[in-house]
Amino acid sequence: MAGPDGRTAKDEQLDRDRVDPRGENLTTDQGVRVDDTDNSLQAGERGPTLMEDFHFREKITSFDQERIPERVVHARGAGAYGYFEVTDPLTDFTRADFLCDTSLRTPVFVRFSTVAGSRGSADTVRDVRGFAVKFYTREGNFDLVGNNMPVFFIQDAIKFPDFVHAVKPEPHNEIPQAASAHDTLWDFVQLQPETMHMMMWLMSDRALPRSYRMMQGFGVHTFRLVTADGRATFVKFHWKPKLGTHSLVWDEVQKIAGKDADFNRRDLWDCIEAGAYPEWELGVQLVPEEDEFAYDVDLLDPTKIIPEERVPVRPVGRLVLDRNPENFFAETEQVAFHLGNVVPGIDFSNDPLLQGRLFSYLDTQLIRLGGPNFPQLPVNRPVAPVANNQRDGYHQTRVHRGETSYAPNSIGNGEPTVAGPEGGAYVHYQERVDGNKIRKRSESFKDHFSQATLFWNSMADWEREHIVAAFRFELGKVTRPHIREGVLRHLSQVHGDLARRVAEGLGTEAPPSAPVHEESSPALSQANAPREDIATRKVAILAADGSDAVSLRTVKQRLSAAGALPEVLAAHAGTVTGAGGESIPVDRAMSTMASVLYDAVLVPGGDKAVDTLTSDGLAVHYVAEAYKHGKAVGALGAGRLLLSAAGLRDVAYAENGVRDDRGVVTQGEAGDASEDFCSTFASAIAAHRHWDRDVDAVPA
Ligand code: HDD
């Protein structure tokens, strides 16, 4: 599916759809050239506008109707094209050829999103992130519409409108935007304990991804893989980011929401433009049909995981995003995902959340994209050929030839004909179903707390601290005491320690807690994410007139060589003059950026420069804030003085040689940055954050 130049069938198809008005004369939609688009047609210079001004009317009408309804949920998003390659074929489990044939490069479009906020809301809010992948396979489109958390808030799709109404801004005043910290969400939670496992994820750092490129993805539900001879295996899909799973912190995300509301979107765009292509590994957890009841959780319950330690995640392929869309509206806004888009070899389970989604996505596209022909939009169109008797409707762009649009027919040779399984047709898995029609939740869905406890047990100390702080913040914003009490009652069933610590922050007592199990799943902790790579990490180098240009250049080159993105910041744009009279180009003025937009801060030596920086409150703040957020902070020679000016008092600095004290890396000697300094600083950045610091005493 990829040409010799790596271009996919989807790329070729999209090329044919593109229009480029550059270099053309301005015309109306009817192709008539226009002589003036600045002045409407009037009866006299100061007279009224005339109805016959067709250009004016067409231009304004088109503008008036530019907007389509934003998505009810996941309105805020960013997308990219790329490809998927299977590395370990699943031939024994499925007939889907994109999962079996290692020579295929299947084109994809991926859209990441937040859930609750409107289309214009900030990227960095506490929320679940959507991770929706459209595979344009040779056998039709397959959509894997997942999230960055492996479970969901509710067990049955019929509760989805209730949940979404509760988490969205409150209906009387439309406040708060893109935030779960309000009464209605927590009221729902206290009355619906099945939310508790997901609430643990939502209150954890998983809800604050550093980058879309650094988050996991999950298909959430149990699906089925099916072979050509009709044998099925349960499957759960996992995406693992090559760069590891990393998060921001709460104080940081709140500030970034103001400093750069497009933080995650920009990050995705910039990295793809720079050729640093985001990559994930696709993994599967496979459960034979006969083991359906072998676990203490029901595989059909979307509020549960199967711990990786019990069923390992088998890596099977890789996803690479290597091209930004050309037009946000046409592609990212109009892309239409649907769980019902499956290809032969992939089938559903009876998960009641999944079953309901099978209805909802198609339904929503019909209203959002205005009728049944949205699969013809370029971003939605399969690369597999489409032929059927569906006709007409709003926005029909195809000109169907022939006399017949029905089956069976004799006039048109009976075409298009059905293929049958040998011809590659989709055949539904023949599951035997037998039961009474009832509205009743299965008894096997009843345990709402054990896996919330599992999650808590699996966290590192710093992750627990962040979870406690999140619950305190969110419940602290809840105005009705009975809602807070209701949630605390649930928390006491998750873990007594959690409930007690949250209650303390709310100035109240936790209800008595029952004993809980002690199992944990190390795979759930971000503390166990890979931490070797500094690729695409952003480093702020603080400079002023008199900075040691030699050491600055050395560190910058070393970091860049490892794929990091160091930038020189100074009080003003342009250049500063180094200690030896060198001209140092400034990438950005300090005031246009902020410490929270970087992964690390470095202060080169140079007495005069450090003097200037210590008396610049903004520079001091860059260092203090980076330290408080657990980031790597580096200083060479006199640069150490800026660190002390920033209040980093309990830190041990190098007197000579190099010292790394909990991610604060210093070199005693003035002069060029040593090899040791560069590599120690790089490791401190790769560690992502350093939570063993006492950050409370540092003002920022
Ligand atoms: Fe959903 C969008 C993920 C439950 C109904 N959902 C949407 C998107 C993602 C998810 C990633 C954005 C797709 C895009 O980028 O365009 N949704 C999930 C996951 C769920 C889930 C992982 C649980 C496991 N969703 C869910 C339920 C329902 C919906 C139970 C309804 C019964 N979701 C929708 C929707 C959306 C949507 C209203 C809004 C816009 C759209 O579909 O295209 O139909």
Side-chain angles (χ1 to χ4, degrees):
M1 293 269 276
D5 52 358
R7 286 173 61 75
T8 63
K10 190 67 193 171
D11 292 328
E12 309 287 334
Q13 191 191 57
L14 285 167
D15 277 352
R16 294 190 290 274
D17 289 313
R18 291 209 178 89
V19 289
D20 192 346
R22 288 171 296 190
E24 302 289 336
N25 280 123
L26 189 79
T27 72
T28 66
D29 276 342
Q30 306 303 321
V32 174
R33 287 188 182 168
V34 170
D35 71 334
D36 180 352
T37 193
D38 298 330
N39 300 291
S40 48
L41 190 68
Q42 295 165 349
E45 273 181 30
R46 301 181 58 253
T49 303
L50 296 176
M51 278 283 280
E52 70 187 61
D53 187 351
F54 53 83
H55 174 49
F56 167 81
R57 277 189 288 119
E58 184 194 78
K59 184 173 173 181
I60 297 299
T61 298
S62 175
F63 167 75
D64 289 343
Q65 307 196 17
E66 274 177 12
R67 291 288 169 275
I68 60 170
E70 66 173 33
R71 291 168 174 81
V72 190
V73 280
H74 297 265
R76 169 85 183 163
Y81 291 96
Y83 58 87
F84 171 78
E85 287 169 340
V86 62
T87 46
D88 178 17
L90 283 168
T91 326
D92 290 344
F93 302 96
T94 177
R95 53 166 296 196
D97 80 342
F98 82 103
L99 291 175
C100 295
D101 186 341
T102 52
S103 71
L104 291 181
R105 181 175 264 204
T106 301
V108 300
F109 184 80
V110 178
R111 184 173 178 273
F112 302 107
S113 45
T114 54
V115 178
S118 296
R119 210 184 125 181
S121 59
D123 279 349
T124 58
V125 293
R126 178 175 296 284
D127 203 349
V128 188
R129 298 300 185 283
F131 192 134
V133 184
K134 188 181 282 296
F135 297 81
Y136 305 95
T137 88
R138 295 195 298 190
E139 301 175 302
N141 285 354
F142 168 53
D143 292 354
L144 185 54
V145 195
N147 280 338
N148 74 330
M149 299 179 190
V151 287
F152 202 63
F153 297 95
I154 46 169
Q155 295 173 321
D156 187 319
I158 200 167
K159 297 305 298 168
F160 193 65
D162 297 304
F163 163 70
V164 173
H165 287 172
V167 71
K168 280 271 185 181
E170 298 187 5
H172 59 305
N173 57 11
E174 218 192 22
I175 298 174
Q177 178 57 245
S180 47
H182 58 114
D183 282 43
T184 56
L185 184 262
W186 289 97
D187 190 25
F188 183 81
V189 169
Q190 63 124 356
L191 295 169
Q192 200 79 41
E194 72 201 51
T195 52
M196 279 320 290
H197 186 194
M198 182 65 162
M199 291 314 289
M200 295 297 292
W201 285 82
L202 189 66
M203 293 303 109
S204 80
D205 290 358
R206 299 281 183 143
L208 320 171
R210 155 68 180 83
S211 157
Y212 291 139
R213 303 172 295 117
M214 299 174 200
M215 60 183 204
Q216 279 180 277
F218 302 90
V220 180
H221 312 284
T222 302
F223 291 85
R224 278 190 171 94
L225 295 180
V226 186
T227 56
D229 56 8
R231 193 170 39 83
T233 308
F234 289 118
V235 61
K236 279 187 179 279
F237 294 105
H238 295 246
W239 295 110
K240 295 201 178 191
K242 199 173 158 211
L243 296 174
T245 312
H246 302 295
S247 293
L248 301 167
V249 289
W250 180 235
D251 179 57
E252 211 181 357
V253 303
Q254 290 179 295
K255 290 172 177 163
I256 297 175
K259 302 273 184 193
D260 184 5
D262 306 301
F263 185 74
N264 291 137
R265 174 184 282 197
R266 189 188 306 283
D267 166 274
L268 181 69
W269 180 275
D270 285 352
C271 284
I272 294 177
E273 288 301 295
Y277 300 139
E279 191 173 328
W280 288 260
E281 180 184 86
L282 177 68
V284 290
Q285 282 181 300
L286 297 170
V287 177
E289 288 258 301
E290 55 274 21
D291 288 353
E292 180 170 2
F293 303 107
Y295 301 91
D296 48 8
V297 294
D298 193 327
L299 300 186
L300 304 186
D301 176 355
T303 66
K304 306 292 189 306
I305 57 163
I306 318 175
E308 287 184 35
E309 292 76 10
R310 295 199 61 187
V311 177
V313 177
R314 168 173 164 176
V316 294
R318 73 185 193 114
L319 167 73
V320 178
L321 298 181
D322 62 355
R323 197 162 67 71
N324 280 314
E326 303 224 13
N327 183 288
F328 185 89
F329 179 83
E331 299 170 286
T332 310
E333 192 59 19
Q334 293 199 112
V335 67
F337 292 94
H338 174 32
L339 260 82
N341 291 348
V342 284
V343 291
I346 299 180
D347 213 312
F348 314 113
S349 72
N350 293 334
D351 172 343
L353 194 74
L354 186 167
Q355 293 280 320
R357 292 178 76 193
L358 289 173
F359 169 74
S360 184
Y361 287 73
L362 181 55
D363 191 44
T364 212
Q365 310 311 347
L366 291 171
I367 180 78
R368 210 169 68 77
L369 298 168
N373 290 314
F374 64 86
Q376 295 177 22
L377 292 167
V379 70
N380 296 324
R381 191 164 354 131
V383 294
V386 173
N388 57 40
N389 293 316
Q390 274 127 241
R391 290 290 186 275
D392 309 346
Y394 285 110
H395 321 302
Q396 176 59 260
T397 60
R398 301 179 131 202
V399 181
H400 293 99
R401 303 175 74 190
E403 286 168 83
T404 56
S405 52
Y406 58 92
N409 71 65
S410 66
I411 298 173
N413 270 340
E415 291 165 351
T417 51
V418 295
E422 314 73 39
Y426 188 93
V427 180
H428 289 266
Y429 174 63
Q430 295 194 6
E431 183 185 3
R432 188 180 151 73
V433 178
D434 184 15
N436 299 325
K437 289 184 201 167
I438 44 168
R439 288 191 189 274
K440 185 174 180 297
R441 199 72 57 90
S442 169
E443 286 300 313
S444 56
F445 281 34
K446 283 269 156 71
D447 169 12
H448 303 317
F449 297 106
S450 299
Q451 288 212 337
T453 307
L454 179 81
F455 187 76
W456 173 257
N457 289 349
S458 310
M459 295 291 105
D461 285 348
W462 57 268
E463 290 178 299
R464 288 188 191 165
E465 263 170 46
H466 293 173
I467 292 171
V468 169
F471 273 111
R472 285 180 175 185
F473 179 90
E474 300 264 321
L475 294 174
K477 294 281 186 186
V478 167
T479 61
R480 293 171 175 84
H482 79 275
I483 297 180
R484 290 199 292 266
E485 285 155 19
V487 177
L488 280 173
R489 272 195 298 278
H490 291 335
L491 289 181
S492 66
Q493 297 201 53
V494 176
H495 203 286
D497 191 28
L498 167 65
R500 188 186 46 73
R501 287 163 69 180
V502 174
E504 217 170 78
L506 299 173
T508 178
E509 297 269 313
S513 63
V516 290
H517 69 82
E518 298 196 343
E519 270 167 54
S520 66
S521 164
L524 299 179
S525 169
Q526 290 189 86
N528 301 324
R531 280 154 204 278
E532 293 100 40
D533 208 338
I534 62 165
T536 72
R537 295 305 190 137
K538 297 183 82 171
V539 183
I541 304 180
L542 306 184
D545 285 337
S547 281
D548 178 349
V550 180
S551 66
L552 186 152
R553 203 174 307 127
T554 304
V555 187
K556 198 174 177 192
Q557 274 167 1
R558 279 290 307 273
L559 294 176
S560 306
L565 304 168
E567 289 181 346
V568 176
L569 307 186
H572 54 77
T575 55
V576 290
T577 308
E582 314 88 334
S583 167
I584 305 174
V586 174
D587 295 300
R588 297 167 194 272
M590 237 182 271
S591 57
T592 64
M593 297 298 283
S595 183
V596 289
L597 303 176
Y598 291 93
D599 294 291
V601 172
L602 172 77
V603 192
D607 294 342
K608 183 174 162 223
V610 174
D611 248 13
T612 311
L613 292 170
T614 39
S615 54
D616 177 349
L618 191 53
V620 174
H621 186 68
Y622 262 77
V623 172
E625 201 169 47
Y627 180 78
K628 238 184 140 65
H629 294 150
K631 296 173 183 173
V633 177
L636 294 148
R640 290 168 301 169
L641 296 173
L642 184 60
L643 273 43
S644 4
L648 278 53
R649 278 181 215 97
D650 78 322
V651 174
Y653 301 117
E655 292 305 324
N656 42 47
V658 173
R659 184 156 191 171
D660 176 359
D661 183 6
R662 293 160 293 166
V664 179
V665 182
T666 47
Q667 174 178 310
E669 297 82 9
D672 198 3
S674 67
E675 181 69 29
D676 187 13
F677 177 84
C678 293
S679 60
T680 312
F681 187 48
S683 308
I685 300 171
H688 184 62
R689 300 293 161 107
H690 301 266
W691 294 123
D692 42 358
R693 296 173 182 169
D694 174 18
V695 295
D696 292 338
V698 178

